Structure formats: C-alpha cells, structure tokens
Amino acid sequence: MDMKKRVSLELRHRSPTEVQELVLDNCRSGEGKIEGITEEFSNLELLSLINVGLTSVADIPKLDKLKKLELSDNRISGGLEVLAERLVNLTHLNLSGNKFKDISTLEPLKKLPQLKSLDLFNCEVTNLADYRESIFKLLPQLTYLDGYDIDDCEASDSDGEVDGVEDEDEEGLEGESEDFDEEEEEDEEDVVAEEDDDDDSNDDEDGEVNGDVDSEDDDEEDDEDDDEDSSPAKGEKRKRDPEDEDDDDEDDD
C-alpha cells in the first residue's frame, strides 16, 4: 500500500488537526520520499515511518509539536538538516538500521535542543572507535544513545514514551481502577444486605419452630392436668352411693 493511501486510512474520518499519533509502518513511499503528510497535522506528537523505503527526509513538513520520530529500517544516509529546521521540539529520534557511516552526518542534530534520545543501532557509524564518547560529545543535550546513558545505564520504559501520551494512558487506567473499586464496594454492600436478609429469615423460622414446640408442650401439660383432676387422689376410697347399697340388699333377698 502506498503512503498516501495509508495516510487516508489512518485518518479514519478525522481532520489532520485531530491526529496526535500517525503510524505508517511498512507502507511504500514513492521514490523514497515522504508523501501525504502536510503541515495540517499541526498537533502530531508521534510519527512512525518504519521500513517504508525512505532515502530522504527532505519532504517532511514543519511539525512544531512532534516529539517522537521513528525512521528505523530505511535507507537514509544524510540530509538531517531539515529535521533541525522543521521539528524544533523533537525529543526522540530513531535512525537505527539506516545508512549513516560518519559522525559528521549527524552534526545537524546539534540544533535540536530538546533531543533526549537517539538510536543508531545497526548503522555503520556504530562500528567506529570511540563511537559513544564521540556522539555524546557532539550532542551534549542527549541523555540516551541506543537506549543507554553516558554511564551505560539503561533507559527506563517511561523515558521511551512521549510526554502527554503516556499521561493520558495512565489517567485512563486510574479511571478504570476507580470504577472497579466502586463496583467492588457495591458488590460488597449487596452481599452484606443479602446476609442480613438471610439472618432475619432464619430468626423468623426459629421463632416459628420454637412457638410450635412450646404450643405442643402446653397442650400435653393441659391433658395431664385434666387426667389428674378426673381420677381420685391416692389413698382415698371412692364413696359408695346409697342407691348402690339398696340394690345390693334386693339381690340378697
């Protein structure tokens, strides 16, 4: 896919001024030049042109807000003056896998005062004696060269991110975390409420069961009292009715 068509697809019905990141990796540039990118991309902060067949950056437009430029795995060998003229706020520049042979071809980068990280991995210039010392001397504003500082300490992940873009991602994660915490609290409240309902229902059932048992016990006690009232007390004889005695005398006659 050619670069112009790829730019149109990446816009996704947005205007160029709305785009902050533009990734065009592995598309094809016409005649080794940048195409389809204009000064209308005024808010662009990241531009990635990895493996697009570039031999020159002469057609890159003026992009005052651009901070990170990825140009690795192309065939660029010079002409970096245009970067210093048009990308005045550039902080990260990746030129790894290109055709830079001499340190002098990198001298125009001295005019990029904000340049913090430069990557030249797999360029011939890295094979020169005292390569790292020479680059840090040539570009004193640099903090990292090929991912390491002057003391050979590796750059942290945050140093490789464009300021602002990373902050937005972190804010999004914090918002998701807060939403998750709120959901967790709501779930815990629901569980507590359910447990309370279960306890109340258990209390009611216990009360009903206890009430039934108590009622049965009371009935049994009442029956026993009735039996005791109807039977003669122990040690007492039942009194004979006088009529019963008359009946006995008639039988004797």
Side-chain angles (χ1 to χ4, degrees), residues 9-20:
L9 288 175
E10 291 295 329
L11 280 173
R12 299 168 189 167
H13 306 294
R14 297 175 294 174
S15 67
T17 56
E18 296 177 276
V19 180
Q20 290 184 306

Side-chain angles (χ1 to χ4, degrees), residues 181-210:
D181 290 340
E182 288 177 1
E183 290 176 1
E184 258 192 349
E185 289 177 1
E186 290 176 359
D187 292 339
E188 288 176 358
E189 290 175 358
D190 292 339
V191 170
V192 171
E194 289 176 2
E195 290 177 352
D196 290 342
D197 291 339
D198 291 340
D199 290 341
D200 291 341
S201 96
N202 288 335
D203 290 342
D204 292 340
E205 290 175 359
D206 291 342
E208 291 174 2
V209 172
N210 290 336

